[in-house]
Amino acid sequence: MKSVYFERFGGPEVLTFGERPEPVAGPGEALIRVRACAINHLDLWVRAGLPGLEPDMPHVLGNDIVGEITALGTGVTHLRVGQKTLVNPTLSCGACAACAAGDDHLCRSYDVIGRKRNGGYAEYVSVPAVNCLAYPENLPWEQAAAVPLVFLTAWHMLVTRARVKSGDDVLVIGAGSGVGSAAIQIARLHGARVIATASTAAKLAKARELGAHETIDHGSEDIAARARVLTNKKGVDVVVEHVGGRVFEAGVASLAKDGRLVTCGATIGSKVTLEVNQLFGRHLTLMGSWMGRRSDLNDCMPHVTSGALKPVVDSVRPLADARAAHERMEAREQFGKLVLVP
Ligand code: ZN
């Protein structure tokens, strides 16, 4: 089968388009004919060889998979060959106390398809059958592939972790990112007032189209100062953050009393300065979040199929152009998801 794989860590140039053996559906698995696969920041980290993320070589990336089931392994009775599916990207043991409690994101074996296990940059991929969800028939393949990872992540951050509620002022950092574009919509769905940041006038306009009530140009404006002005000096109740460094610090400085900041990434820097007197004096809560529960995606999907939450696709490329897609993401040129089609 045609596939994009890499045999050594490095930049986008290590991605190789070529032939790989077609996988088989093992016991409890489904073989998927991939119709579209979205790119995530996680792919860039895995490709670069971030410590702790090293897969066996050669490796096939790709967390966000949609396609048709072409074969089923032994023991799979709830799916049928020919069925369309959207694949939940999360992996967990299903047997431990955390999994039994529905806290599968805390499972010690928690992982994501495409990180150690081969993913969807290919014509075929095998996945655990329990990951095959009903396909959102209102969406074409390229848009459905833009849903799973970022909507799961943003739902977990806003709903499960930060407990967003009607009337909250929510600051979404980086409206052009996949998580940012999903978070704007999820916050709005829950009745929040959304303030979104982005770096260009075009991205700020798109953030408003997605439902942001206010926008901040984080290239030319002081995020915390603008957040204070836009909330009549109160500050925001929730910050959705995934950038790190000075942006994380600006997020903390933007919070109202009892405010919650939830972060899922540190693309510009992992070390920050924190004023502890601000933390206790203003009753702040700082939360980490990575991916989410199976139930987060399950809770989110009805809003996707109803059209209330819309995946945002930056561009669609053939699988052979994965390298160009990675380069675009590294340059932060995109608004929404980059999608590959085999
Ligand atoms: Zn488990």
Side-chain angles (χ1 to χ4, degrees):
M1 65 169 184
K2 291 281 187 292
S3 170
V4 168
Y5 59 93
F6 60 91
E7 296 179 287
R8 60 184 173 87
F9 298 119
E13 72 282 356
V14 302
L15 297 175
T16 304
F17 178 68
E19 290 287 332
R20 294 289 307 152
E22 192 176 308
V24 293
E29 294 182 342
L31 184 67
I32 312 285
R33 181 186 175 194
V34 180
R35 291 299 194 153
C37 181
I39 295 174
N40 288 284
H41 243 286
L42 179 60
D43 300 354
L44 276 51
W45 297 124
V46 174
R47 189 208 67 218
L50 200 72
L53 298 184
E54 301 96 332
D56 294 334
M57 299 291 185
H59 183 66
V60 180
L61 295 166
N63 326 118
D64 278 331
I65 298 157
V66 292
E68 290 143 341
I69 296 170
T70 56
L72 293 169
T74 55
V76 182
T77 55
H78 71 292
L79 301 171
R80 60 179 171 74
V81 170
Q83 189 178 338
K84 295 165 75 175
T85 184
L86 174 145
V87 178
N88 182 321
T90 69
L91 299 167
S92 51
C93 79
C96 70
C99 285
D103 288 330
D104 46 287
H105 64 306
L106 304 180
C107 175
R108 290 182 69 179
S109 329
Y110 191 81
D111 202 354
V112 183
I113 293 170
R115 191 168 84 144
K116 288 209 163 114
R117 186 187 177 104
N118 279 340
Y121 287 21
E123 288 182 297
Y124 292 90
V125 61
S126 69
V127 301
V130 293
N131 287 57
C132 294
L133 304 183
Y135 184 80
E137 290 291 348
N138 57 317
L139 297 176
W141 296 116
E142 300 82 13
Q143 289 192 28
V147 171
L149 191 142
V150 291
F151 277 89
L152 168 82
T153 298
W155 190 275
H156 188 71
M157 292 174 81
L158 269 167
V159 183
T160 307
R161 299 288 275 147
R163 301 193 177 280
V164 67
K165 61 184 186 304
S166 180
D168 278 348
D169 287 307
V170 175
L171 175 64
V172 176
I173 303 292
S177 70
V179 167
S181 58
I184 290 170
Q185 298 179 68
I186 292 168
R188 176 114 190 186
L189 181 74
H190 287 79
R193 176 167 170 264
V194 181
I195 304 168
T197 81
S199 56
T200 67
K203 288 186 178 184
L204 293 168
K206 284 185 182 172
R208 284 186 183 270
E209 281 173 31
L210 284 178
H213 299 82
E214 303 286 351
T215 54
I216 299 174
D217 183 336
H218 62 223
S220 64
E221 295 182 294
D222 180 324
I223 292 173
R226 279 294 292 156
R228 296 267 157 208
V229 169
L230 292 169
T231 56
N232 198 20
K233 297 185 184 169
K234 182 200 73 170
V236 298
D237 304 293
V238 176
V239 176
V240 175
E241 214 289 285
H242 49 89
V243 177
R246 59 187 165 70
V247 177
F248 180 99
E249 292 166 4
V252 174
S254 302
L255 286 169
K257 281 191 174 178
D258 203 28
R260 300 90 83 192
L261 179 146
V262 57
T263 180
C264 72
T267 46
I268 69 163
S270 196
K271 290 206 170 143
V272 297
T273 302
L274 179 67
E275 300 278 354
V276 177
N277 54 352
Q278 297 263 316
L279 182 66
F280 68 75
R282 287 172 32 227
H283 302 263
L284 305 182
T285 306
L286 307 181
M287 287 177 273
S289 190
W290 191 71
M291 300 290 298
R293 297 174 169 140
R294 286 175 180 274
S295 61
D296 291 311
L297 188 56
N298 294 347
D299 291 346
C300 186
M301 286 311 294
H303 303 289
V304 172
T305 53
S306 77
L309 298 176
K310 294 182 171 62
V312 181
V313 174
D314 172 81
S315 49
V316 180
R317 286 178 172 75
L319 189 56
D321 292 344
R323 175 179 172 171
H326 274 224
E327 287 168 347
R328 181 169 172 80
M329 184 175 255
E330 287 200 330
R332 296 202 184 88
E333 290 168 348
Q334 85 279 9
F335 192 99
K337 303 297 293 173
L338 296 138
V339 178
L340 300 172
V341 287

